[in-house]
Amino acid sequence: MEKIGLREVQGVWNHCFGYTITVTGDEAVFGNGQRYTITEVGNTVSMDGWKVSMAKSEAEELVWQKKGEADLKWTFEEEVSELKDHGIDPKLIIKGKRRRGADYVKLDKDLAREQQMARKERERLSAGRLALEEIRRVKRRKAEKATSSSSAADSKQVSQKKKKQEISVDDVKAHKMDLEKADLPASKALAILETLQNSVINIEILKKTLIGKTINPYRKHEDVAVAAQAKKLYASWKEVYRTSVAKK
């Protein structure tokens, strides 16, 4: 339609909600008794914030639109000859073919089905977004945990390296003599072993002091802590020896 004015909306219409609207002049009277004024706005008409869509409307069906609301449809009900019973001037009625009636039950069912489908689609999209956000959160937590673990390991290694202290051959020999005492308490032996563990022992010291031979029996000490520390120390010194041999 090129234009929809007051002339085009005269007559009796069926609202998509099931009641009738009678338009006379610029007044629309609804079946529930409500009255509204229809005004021409450009090439269409307006009523209470609603406008007739030029693109969607036809002579027999008017589609009313309002921002934020679902479209409403008016279907033409009565022919020119029947309008006289309502006191409407037939001259004001649009010329053109119009058919009577509409299956409003079917329209209501279709509308309800479309609304249900739209609601399910919104729920599906919402669930998808939530699942995606949860996956991203889990990945971030794993990445943060991995970074934290790596930093902790690096810090531990740095800390261990910082604990290593220089030690002289004489000091090592003194510790060796203590460890060779038959009545040396386990607590004293453990303290010496820990001191040696936290000291820089190179291949020269190992050769000059032969401390490795003294430590060897302690790997089978009856005190679990002493035995464990002796094994750890002995293994580290073996690595020092292998590294020295490999360099030659």
Side-chain angles (χ1 to χ4, degrees), residues 209-227:
T209 62
L210 300 178
I211 185 68
K213 291 184 178 181
T214 303
I215 294 297
N216 189 38
Y218 277 90
R219 293 187 298 167
K220 298 180 180 181
H221 197 280
E222 60 183 8
D223 187 284
V224 177
V226 172

Side-chain angles (χ1 to χ4, degrees), residues 52-234:
V52 173
S53 170
M54 292 286 296
K56 295 184 177 181
S57 297
E58 300 176 354
E60 62 188 18
E61 184 177 77
L62 301 179
V63 179
W64 293 82
Q65 295 182 324
K66 185 177 182 180
K67 187 175 181 180
E69 302 287 348
D71 292 355
L72 297 178
K73 293 182 180 180
W74 289 10
T75 305
F76 186 74
E77 174 63 18
E78 298 200 294
E79 302 291 346
V80 176
S81 60
E82 296 173 323
L83 292 173
K84 295 179 181 179
D85 296 335
H86 298 282
I88 299 174
D89 186 355
K91 295 179 181 179
L92 297 177
I93 304 304
I94 183 173
K95 304 300 181 181
K97 184 179 179 181
R98 288 169 166 165
R99 67 173 179 271
R100 299 183 58 183
D103 189 347
Y104 294 107
V105 174
K106 182 177 182 301
L107 289 173
D108 288 342
K109 288 182 179 180
D110 290 344
L111 178 60
R113 183 169 59 255
E114 291 176 359
Q115 290 175 338
Q116 184 178 17
M117 291 174 63
R119 183 170 59 254
K120 288 183 177 180
E121 181 64 13
R122 288 195 298 271
E123 292 174 351
R124 185 185 67 80
L125 292 175
S126 178
R129 285 194 295 270
L130 291 174
L132 181 59
E133 290 176 0
E134 181 61 24
I135 291 173
R136 288 173 176 170
R137 281 196 294 269
V138 171
K139 287 184 176 180
R140 284 198 298 269
R141 285 197 293 268
K142 288 183 177 179
E144 291 171 355
K145 185 176 181 180
T147 301
S148 177
S149 298
S150 178
S151 299
D154 292 342
S155 298
K156 185 177 181 180
Q157 291 178 357
V158 171
S159 177
Q160 289 176 343
K161 289 180 180 180
K162 288 182 178 179
K163 289 180 180 179
K164 294 286 185 177
Q165 302 292 328
E166 297 292 336
I167 190 169
S168 67
V169 172
D170 292 337
D171 288 337
V172 175
K173 287 181 177 181
H175 290 315
K176 181 174 181 291
M177 291 178 63
D178 288 336
L179 290 172
E180 290 174 347
K181 293 178 180 179
D183 58 347
L184 184 67
S187 59
K188 178 63 175 178
L190 181 60
I192 294 173
L193 293 174
E194 289 177 346
T195 298
L196 293 172
Q197 181 66 49
N198 295 326
S199 301
V200 179
I201 306 294
N202 54 36
I203 189 64
E204 287 77 14
I205 294 177
L206 292 176
K207 288 181 177 180
K208 290 179 180 181
T209 62
L210 300 178
I211 185 68
K213 291 184 178 181
T214 303
I215 294 297
N216 189 38
Y218 277 90
R219 293 187 298 167
K220 298 180 180 181
H221 197 280
E222 60 183 8
D223 187 284
V224 177
V226 172
Q229 185 61 48
K231 290 177 182 179
K232 182 178 179 182
L233 190 57
Y234 191 81

